[in-house]
Every structure is written in structure tokens, then in C-alpha cells.
């Protein structure tokens, strides 16, 4: 009787290892993509937290009108609008610069600007937010400031604006 050997050949083991490595690379790449999306989302969330702080600052100082200065992040922290720098921390360690344009007018806007590490990262951040735009690697988030903190105050402010009174409060 001939001796019949059974088992895996070197070729079948190589094919199995090849399939396992392809699966591993796909899973690893998907995990990296997910981690990048999370990092971009933290930038958007940081911008939203900072915009709320700048909006509160704007509401508190709206009576200054066009003389209202744009606060820095340090100003917002020292004045109590932000609890700490960690409250706007993001996974990419991007630093925001707030700017208020045309304060005290119906055309006022809040801009939060940051510089991404590259234009491709900036594009990915912009794709995560509807109110973001980019120029090169610079990302700008745009917000319309509120002139009141309740619905009724908002309606009164709109009526005052309509009849030519002060935009603020």
C-alpha cells in the first residue's frame, strides 16, 4: 500500500496567508479612515463650542456696536465665556482665531479661523461642516450671532430692527 500523505501544501498556506493579509489591510485602513473622521469631527465640535462662547460674548457686549472688539480665546477664558482651553481641544491640536465682523449691525458675522496641517485635511474638515469653507489649508467657520437669548427677545429684536430701532436687544 502506498503511503498517502495528507495536510496543507506550502502553496495553500501561502494563499491563506495572502487572503488574511489582504483582509487585515482592509480592516486596518477602514479603522484609520474612521479615526481621521473622528479627528475632523472634534475640530467641528470645538468650533461649535467656541462659537457659542463668542456668541455669548457678542450678546453681552452688543451695546458697544461697531466699537466691540473681537475677543481672543484667552479673553473668552478670562472673562468666563469658556471654562478652559481644554473645552475647545480637538484631536488635531488646531488653534482657532475668533473674529467678529460688523458688530451691532444686522450684517454681523462671527468667523472662526484655523490652519489645518494640509489642504487635504482642510477639505476633509470642510466636508464635515455645512458652515465651513477653506482657502488652501485655512479653514473658516461662519456663524450668525444672536442678539438675544430667548425666542421672545429674538422676535422683539427683529421688530425693532424692522422699525429702525437698535439692532441689539
Amino acid at each position: 500500500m502506498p503511503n498517502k500523505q495528507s495536510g496543507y501544501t506550502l502553496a495553500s498556506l501561502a494563499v491563506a496567508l495572502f487572503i488574511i493579509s489582504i483582509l487585515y489591510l482592509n480592516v486596518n485602513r477602514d479603522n484609520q479612515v474612521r479615526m481621521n473622521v473622528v479627528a475632523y469631527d472634534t475640530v467641528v465640535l470645538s468650533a461649535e463650542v467656541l462659537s457659542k462662547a463668542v456668541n455669548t460674548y457678542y450678546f453681552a457686549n452688543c451695546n458697544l456696536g461697531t466699537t466691540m472688539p473681537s475677543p481672543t480665546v484667552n479673553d473668552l477664558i478670562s472673562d468666563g465665556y469658556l471654562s478652559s482651553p481644554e473645552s475647545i481641544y480637538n484631536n488635531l491640536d488646531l488653534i482657532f482665531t475668533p473674529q467678529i465682523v460688523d458688530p451691532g449691525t444686522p450684517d454681523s458675522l462671527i468667523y472662526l479661523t484655523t490652519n489645518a496641517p494640509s489642504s487635504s485635511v482642510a477639505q476633509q474638515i470642510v466636508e464635515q461642516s455645512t458652515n465651513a469653507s477653506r482657502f488652501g489649508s485655512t479653514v473658516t467657520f461662519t456663524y450668525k450671532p444672536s442678539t438675544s437669548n430667548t425666542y421672545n427677545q429674538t422676535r422683539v429684536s427683529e421688530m425693532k430692527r424692522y422699525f429702525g430701532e437698535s439692532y441689539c436687544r
Side-chain angles (χ1 to χ4, degrees), residues 6 17 19 30 35 45 58 70 89-90 96 100 103 109-110 120 123 132-133 138 140 155 166:
S6 64
L17 286 175
I19 291 171
D30 289 346
M35 292 303 290
L45 291 174
Y58 182 92
S70 293
Y89 171 79
N90 57 74
F96 291 98
I100 300 173
L109 291 172
I110 296 171
S120 62
Q123 182 61 39
S133 61
T138 302
T140 302
R155 294 298 296 153
S166 172

Side-chain angles (χ1 to χ4, degrees), residues 40-50 87-89 96 141:
Y40 306 143
D41 282 343
T42 63
V43 173
V44 173
L45 291 174
S46 295
E48 289 176 9
V49 169
L50 184 57
S87 61
I88 57 169
Y89 171 79
F96 291 98
F141 294 89

Side-chain angles (χ1 to χ4, degrees), residues 55-131:
N55 191 57
T56 304
Y57 169 88
Y58 182 92
F59 179 71
N61 296 292
C62 190
N63 57 343
L64 296 174
T66 57
T67 62
M68 180 192 318
S70 293
T72 64
V73 172
N74 289 333
D75 292 339
L76 294 170
I77 292 169
S78 65
D79 292 343
Y81 297 104
L82 278 175
S83 58
S84 67
E86 289 79 28
S87 61
I88 57 169
Y89 171 79
N90 57 74
N91 289 358
L92 297 179
D93 290 328
L94 300 181
I95 298 170
F96 291 98
T97 303
Q99 180 184 12
I100 300 173
V101 177
D102 295 329
T105 69
D107 299 326
S108 60
L109 291 172
I110 296 171
Y111 293 118
L112 303 178
T113 306
T114 189
N115 290 317
S118 68
S119 59
S120 62
V121 170
Q123 182 61 39
Q124 293 296 322
I125 293 169
V126 166
E127 289 176 5
Q128 299 295 320
S129 179
T130 59
N131 62 328

